Amino acid sequence: MERKISLTGIKPTGILHIGNYFGAIKPALELVNTYDALYFIADYHALNTMKDPAKLRASIREVAAGWLAAGLDPDRVIFYRQSGIPEVFELTTMIMAFTAKGLMNRAHAYKAQAAANSEKGADPDAGVNMGLFTYPVLMAADILLFNADVVPVGKDQIQHIEMAQDIAGAVNANYKQLVLKIPRPAVQEEAAVVPGLDGRKMSKSYHNTIPLFLDEKDLRKLIMRMVTNSQPLEDPKDPETSQIYLLYKLFSSAEEQAALASRYRAGGMGWGEAKEELFRVVNRCLAPLRERFRAVIADVEGLDRILKRGAEKARPIAAATVERFRKAAGIELY
Ligand code: ADP
Ligand code: TRP
């Protein structure tokens, strides 16, 4: 039986953090055993916010190296850059004709920006480029082009995938045939939202991240600087309301979690000690990733070659979808 298809992308808009790792990269890599996988760097999505070429160029390579360091095997996964697949932009234009403007008005990212503007008394569209406004259409094209069955993402991306479902549904209904496969989101519940250092969702925009490839010294410093309340050392503490413990859970076994939780509840353990424990398990997990990342990022040519080869493998699949759409739509090539 043919395997189903898993597809996901990450925007190269900065360095990867453990939210990206647990929310997107790790679950995606687990699916490689049971799905045909296509994973990519969404560089044109990043262009909406990244206008500095040196930074964008560096971030594309860093995110690509991050995937490889995390264990992506380019012989088993089709791994490429969005910009290497011109068919993405053809399909984007085609599906624009099936995307209600009202649907885009409801997209979270656009709505949040418009609401923030209105709150300041500014024009709701201030600072909104068409790339941001039509972001979900390009993302739908990324997904629909490759007949994806599942799209592993964090919770915040579910709305975008539902929009891809709507758009594909509108296309199929119009042509009364299955032109585009309807994808579904795959969200891993326990890592659906990785908390940041300050208790909010971990995100670059909140400056509350634990970067994945930080060296050991800086990682320790970052964890030690976590803000805690002023509960005295001897007080019993509630693990489930502690940021330190919530992060610890991501990196430890059930036994380790139970042990730390009972030390919290017993009292006599200060926040400093809890942070040391957190650092120990985080570093245990990230040290091998960090080593591999350094090796991969040092070989830029090798990295670029992998992405180019991935695009070569991906393009025939993309071309077949565009061809199918053209035929259904009456825009055949002569
Ligand atoms: P950021 O919020 O830092 O800008 P991105 O929006 O670039 O991160 O997210 C890239 C991928 O990582 C997406 O699939 C997103 O759902 C996932 N992700 C980001 N932050 C988290 C988090 N805190 N918890 C779970 N998944 C996350
Ligand atoms: N919008 C996704 C994010 O923030 C990135 C992305 C672009 C994506 N295209 C995609 C994810 C296609 C899954 C499938 O991070």
Side-chain angles (χ1 to χ4, degrees), residues 54-86:
K55 281 200 185 125
L56 181 53
R57 190 177 294 120
S59 182
I60 290 168
R61 292 202 174 108
E62 275 163 16
V63 172
W67 273 104
L68 294 167
L72 184 147
D73 174 355
D75 290 327
R76 290 181 71 200
V77 175
I78 300 184
F79 184 50
Y80 57 95
R81 292 164 63 171
Q82 182 185 40
S83 58
I85 318 289

Side-chain angles (χ1 to χ4, degrees), residues 8-25 135 139 152-158 188 191-196 200-206 208-209:
T8 199
I10 292 191
K11 266 181 313 188
T13 49
I15 47 169
L16 294 170
H17 54 74
I18 63 166
N20 303 139
Y21 180 69
F22 287 107
I25 297 178
Y135 187 106
M139 178 156 162
V153 282
K155 236 182 197 152
D156 58 312
Q157 294 297 315
I158 292 177
Q188 222 181 39
V193 179
V194 173
R200 292 186 292 175
K201 168 190 180 252
M202 182 173 291
S203 171
K204 283 185 289 278
S205 349
Y206 299 151
N208 64 353
T209 66

Side-chain angles (χ1 to χ4, degrees), residues 100-228:
K101 175 175 176 282
L103 189 68
M104 297 298 99
N105 290 340
R106 291 194 291 277
H108 296 318
Y110 167 67
K111 252 174 72 178
Q113 174 88 31
N117 284 335
S118 299
E119 214 161 280
K120 284 190 302 200
D123 184 301
D125 283 334
V128 176
N129 60 44
M130 284 304 285
L132 170 66
F133 187 64
T134 62
Y135 187 106
V137 189
L138 179 56
M139 178 156 162
D142 289 333
I143 297 169
L144 301 173
L145 197 56
F146 294 102
N147 315 307
D149 293 284
V150 298
V151 185
V153 282
K155 236 182 197 152
D156 58 312
Q157 294 297 315
I158 292 177
Q159 189 200 35
H160 290 147
I161 295 157
E162 289 171 350
M163 289 179 166
Q165 294 172 337
D166 284 0
I167 295 169
V171 170
N172 294 342
N174 182 73
Y175 298 119
K176 300 187 178 59
Q177 55 180 293
L178 203 126
V179 182
L180 301 170
K181 195 191 270 179
I182 311 285
R184 66 177 174 81
V187 178
Q188 222 181 39
E189 271 316 315
E190 62 278 19
V193 179
V194 173
L197 292 167
D198 60 358
R200 292 186 292 175
K201 168 190 180 252
M202 182 173 291
S203 171
K204 283 185 289 278
S205 349
Y206 299 151
H207 306 288
N208 64 353
T209 66
I210 299 183
L212 259 185
F213 306 115
L214 213 54
D215 67 41
E216 189 167 324
K217 219 172 91 220
D218 291 335
L219 178 64
R220 189 161 186 284
K221 244 194 253 162
L222 190 68
I223 290 175
M224 289 305 171
R225 273 207 316 259
M226 278 176 76
V227 177
T228 48

